[in-house]
Amino acid sequence: MPQLPAPAYPAEVRARLEADAKEVIARYPDSRSALLPLLHLVQSEEGYVSRTGMAFCAELLGLTTAEVTAVATFYTMYRRRPSGDYQVGVCTNTLCAVMGGDAIFDRLKEHLGVGNDETTEDGKITLEHIECNAACDFAPVVMVNWEFFDNQTPESATRLVDDLIAGRTVEPTRGAPLCSYKETARILAGFPDERPGAVEASGGAGPASLIGLRLAKGEEPPPRVVAPRGERPHGDSGHTAPQDPDQPAGPTAEEGE
């Protein structure tokens, strides 16, 4: 059935978004190139890309709503309905699945009482499976608002979501401190993260991801790629799974290998 036109943003919201949008558009020689960050911008307002948000983007960029909708529905980072404060994504692609990703996802569905792409009743958490978090050397991996929680188990992932719901401080294994999903969307739109120390904490890839680069440069690799089982890496908040001391957490490298 045909839908009524999307309602407009309230005047004060539109004025604020329009000022931000013009700043984003000015970064590009062709205004339509600003569509991706503008979709993140409207997502930062409502927590998802609404019909109102898509109409706003279309108007400012001189596009049709069909063109904007085609982009918003292609990329999974754009939510199409209201979401929780924390987007919890469990990788269920091949390696993470083999290492326990499927078990983690099943446990969280049962524990939270939601299915894939559903939000808890309190509006805190939206749970979804993700095809790949691009962190296979730390499998199985869970992401919260696109920040990494490595080497997870069903137990550690359950503690993680319980802490999020309770409002306790949660620190990613790697990357910047957590913020809300709306705040994350604004950062992805290209606006600076103004939280003290957040940019410095973002860092880069973990040691396991960089071992190939170091070998290519002729550097001698460290004895172990990641922390041995039973030891927490520096900065670990306890949301990484405990390790078996009899099984190394990653490949070891001897001199000459």
Side-chain angles (χ1 to χ4, degrees):
M1 296 291 294
Q3 291 182 303
L4 294 174
Y9 284 123
E12 66 278 8
V13 173
R14 181 184 171 92
R16 174 166 43 79
L17 287 177
E18 191 167 337
D20 287 340
K22 288 180 178 178
E23 180 180 338
V24 172
I25 293 170
R27 301 170 188 163
Y28 298 90
D30 185 342
S31 64
R32 68 183 298 148
S33 299
L35 178 55
L36 295 181
L38 283 194
L39 287 170
H40 283 299
L41 176 63
V42 297
Q43 186 158 256
S44 73
E45 182 64 32
E46 299 179 85
Y48 72 111
V49 179
S50 65
R51 293 174 57 237
T52 298
M54 287 190 281
F56 173 82
C57 293
E59 179 184 344
L60 264 64
L61 298 177
L63 301 173
T64 66
T65 54
E67 289 173 313
V68 174
T69 302
V71 174
T73 57
F74 181 82
Y75 294 103
T76 58
M77 290 180 75
Y78 299 123
R79 308 292 305 167
R80 296 301 310 282
R81 55 178 179 267
S83 298
D85 295 331
Y86 298 101
Q87 187 82 19
V88 176
V90 181
C91 183
T92 55
N93 212 335
T94 306
L95 184 56
C96 278
V98 169
M99 297 294 288
D102 285 339
I104 291 171
F105 190 55
D106 288 342
R107 174 72 68 84
L108 291 183
K109 285 193 294 184
E110 178 182 0
H111 184 70
L112 296 171
V114 297
N116 180 49
D117 202 23
E118 293 181 355
T119 302
T120 54
E121 290 185 2
D122 59 8
K124 292 283 188 179
I125 290 177
T126 297
L127 179 67
E128 68 172 348
H129 78 82
I130 296 178
E131 285 301 318
C132 184
N133 279 328
C136 301
D137 39 3
F138 296 102
V141 175
V142 173
M143 295 194 86
V144 180
N145 293 351
W146 311 113
E147 299 294 349
F148 287 104
F149 290 81
D150 302 322
N151 301 312
Q152 293 295 293
T153 66
E155 292 73 25
S156 66
T158 300
R159 290 195 303 272
L160 170 61
V161 296
D162 284 346
D163 285 345
L164 292 172
I165 291 171
R168 291 187 282 267
T169 300
V170 171
E171 296 181 4
T173 311
R174 296 172 284 133
L178 280 184
C179 55
S180 73
Y181 189 64
K182 290 182 179 180
E183 292 169 327
T184 300
R186 182 170 177 82
I187 294 169
L188 290 173
F191 292 93
D193 188 344
E194 298 178 349
R195 296 174 298 159
V199 175
E200 293 78 6
S202 61
S209 304
L210 297 174
I211 190 66
L213 176 61
R214 290 175 177 168
L215 288 171
K217 290 181 175 181
E219 299 176 10
E220 183 176 338
R224 290 185 181 274
V225 175
V226 293
R229 293 181 184 271
E231 295 182 14
R232 288 183 182 174
H234 177 69
D236 182 13
S237 60
H239 296 106
T240 299
Q243 307 295 327
D244 182 352
D246 296 326
Q247 297 292 331
T252 59
E254 303 294 341
E255 185 175 357
E257 287 187 352

